[in-house]
Structures are given as structure tokens and as C-alpha cells.
Amino acid sequence: METKIDEIADGIYRLSTYVPDIAPPAGFTFNQFLVLGDEPLMFHTGLRKMFALNRDALARIIEPERLRWIGFGHFEADECGAMNEWLAVAPQATAAHGQTGVYVSLNDFADRAPRVLKDGEVIDIGGGKRVRFIDTPHTPHGWDAGVMYEESTGTLLCGDLFTQLGNDRALTDGDVVGPAIAAEDLFKYAALNPGMGTTIRELAKLAPRTLALMHGPSFSGDGAAALRALAEDYDRRVSAQMAEAMQRLAA
């Protein structure tokens, strides 16, 4: 395996590792994102067993010890499995997440005290970059789920939203909704709940210009339209699930 580096927006780098053995023959990518600034932020730490790959890749951009912030979508191995390895090589770095994630998981897991981020709180990392944390509980999964939005570039760090198979180009202006629907059909990874569509449509109001996907290519274009289309698909799935449940109750 190798970790490839691509700049997907001004000062935002995608570190991508392709694993062909997951969901073959298409395979699957694991992506981390580095946001440059006076206090660089990394969104996702990657799997613990991929730490050396990701560290060596990041070192081609900045010295790893310069990291100051570590964020992620929710507490899961590919989101934050290597957190403590990064905290060890970056002694000034702080893990930052929402209140639920910190209280339930990070206070125990992180080797240094994490920072609790309120919904909508902004970290000004300098160099014109401002990163906002947004709570998205159970969307697409995880009680502690959240995303981050870099305001100057209009980049939404999506976490598992729009998850898809394959090893497409690093940045696309093509369809990211259809492949995400296909991946949901295959993996059924979302925690379907009545609030999903509303949560995703709230993200669409940001009108992001770039969608940084954890699994799949990043997207450049009308991010709001893509998010609304994804919300409609989850609305459809939730409605179908509820209708099926009602039928079972009536039987």
C-alpha cells in the first residue's frame, strides 16, 4: 500500500490509501485531510496500523511535530485509531471533538486531555483558515458524529457521508451521490433515523464548494445540491423502513 497526496483546495491536502482487498474488485480508500495554517489541523488520524504510511506522507508536506489540532467524524478505528501515535509525534497537538465524543470516549482514550468543541464552534488555525465543528448525531452513524467546515475555502470535511467504493481521481466534478447510494445499498452503514435528512439539509445551507470524502474522491462543485440529493435518498430509506415496520405491526 501507499499513501498518495493531493491538494484538493487551497492549503487542504488529501492523504489517501487505497486498499484493494476491501470490497473487491473495486476496493476502498481511506482518506485523511491536512488543513494548513499557523496551527495545522488534521481531520482523521487513519487506522493505527496505517500510521507509518500516513506519517511518512504527511512528512512530505510539513514536519509531523508541527500538528496542533486533530479532529475526526466519530469514534471509530479508521477515524481516530492512530490518535495517540499522532499525539506522541506532535507534542503540542490537541484532539478536539464534540461534547458527546469527548465525554464518552476521548477522556479515556486520548493520551492527552482533549478539547470539547461546542456545536458551531470555530477554531482559528491562522493563515486565514477557520475550521468550524458541526454536530451531526447519528448521521451517518455514531452518537458522537460531527463534521468540520473550513470557511475560507468552503470545504466540508464530510467524514463518512458520501462513502463509496473504488479508487477514483483525488478530486472530481462528477457524480458523488449515485456511487454513495450504491455503497449504502451494499454496506448498509448508516444509522437510519428520521432526523438524517434534516441534518444533511442543514449542511447544504453552508453551500460548500468542496466536499472532502473519507472514502472516495473529493468533490468540487455544487456541494449543496449533492447534499440535498443525499438527504432525499436517506429520507426515502427511512420512509421505507418505517412503512415496513408499520406493516409488521399490523400483521
Side-chain angles (χ1 to χ4, degrees):
M1 292 187 296
E2 64 174 327
T3 298
K4 296 182 177 180
I5 302 170
D6 293 276
E7 189 174 14
I8 61 160
D10 182 31
I12 301 181
Y13 291 83
R14 173 184 186 257
L15 283 65
S16 181
T17 307
Y18 173 61
V19 182
D21 294 337
I22 296 179
F28 205 57
T29 56
F30 293 86
N31 304 321
Q32 289 69 239
F33 297 92
L34 174 67
V35 184
L36 291 184
D38 300 329
E39 300 180 358
L41 177 146
M42 185 169 64
F43 188 72
H44 298 145
T45 73
L47 294 157
R48 182 175 59 85
K49 291 182 178 179
M50 288 184 182
F51 170 68
L53 280 172
N54 289 318
R55 178 201 58 209
D56 292 349
L58 185 133
R60 304 205 301 268
I61 310 170
I62 63 169
E63 298 88 349
E65 57 267 26
R66 283 190 55 207
L67 277 179
R68 291 296 180 269
W69 299 100
I70 296 171
F72 52 92
H74 54 270
F75 191 78
E76 193 174 0
D78 52 342
E79 274 80 9
C80 61
M83 178 189 302
N84 289 323
E85 283 77 3
W86 285 109
L87 290 174
V89 300
Q92 302 303 313
T94 298
H97 197 53
Q99 178 174 288
T100 300
V102 170
Y103 290 173
V104 172
S105 300
L106 292 196
N107 279 339
D108 177 70
F109 181 75
D111 283 347
R112 284 200 298 278
R115 173 169 163 177
V116 175
L117 297 175
K118 298 177 182 177
D119 182 31
E121 185 172 349
V122 172
I123 302 174
D124 188 336
I125 67 170
K129 295 290 192 296
R130 291 168 50 85
V131 182
R132 189 191 319 172
F133 177 79
I134 302 168
D135 275 318
T136 61
H138 304 293
T139 303
H141 53 241
W143 180 23
D144 62 328
V147 297
M148 285 184 159
Y149 179 67
E150 201 294 296
E151 297 178 343
S152 71
T153 60
T155 300
L156 184 65
L157 300 162
C158 293
D160 279 329
L161 290 172
F162 296 101
T163 285
Q164 53 199 263
L165 306 180
N167 188 26
D168 200 348
R169 70 192 96 170
L171 185 65
T172 183
D173 59 1
D175 179 26
V176 290
V177 180
I181 290 172
E184 179 64 49
D185 289 340
L186 176 65
F187 291 135
K188 296 180 172 55
Y189 69 91
L192 296 179
N193 66 87
M196 287 190 76
T198 298
T199 298
I200 296 171
R201 276 187 287 273
E202 284 298 311
L203 296 178
K205 293 179 181 178
L206 296 169
R209 300 188 296 276
T210 303
L211 301 175
L213 279 57
M214 185 179 187
H215 305 293
S218 294
F219 170 78
S220 177
D222 189 346
L227 285 159
R228 288 193 296 268
L230 186 68
E232 289 175 6
D233 183 68
Y234 280 124
D235 282 345
R236 175 186 64 80
R237 292 176 190 273
V238 171
S239 295
Q241 189 180 66
M242 292 178 68
E244 182 180 339
M246 293 300 293
Q247 288 176 353
R248 288 199 300 268
L249 286 172

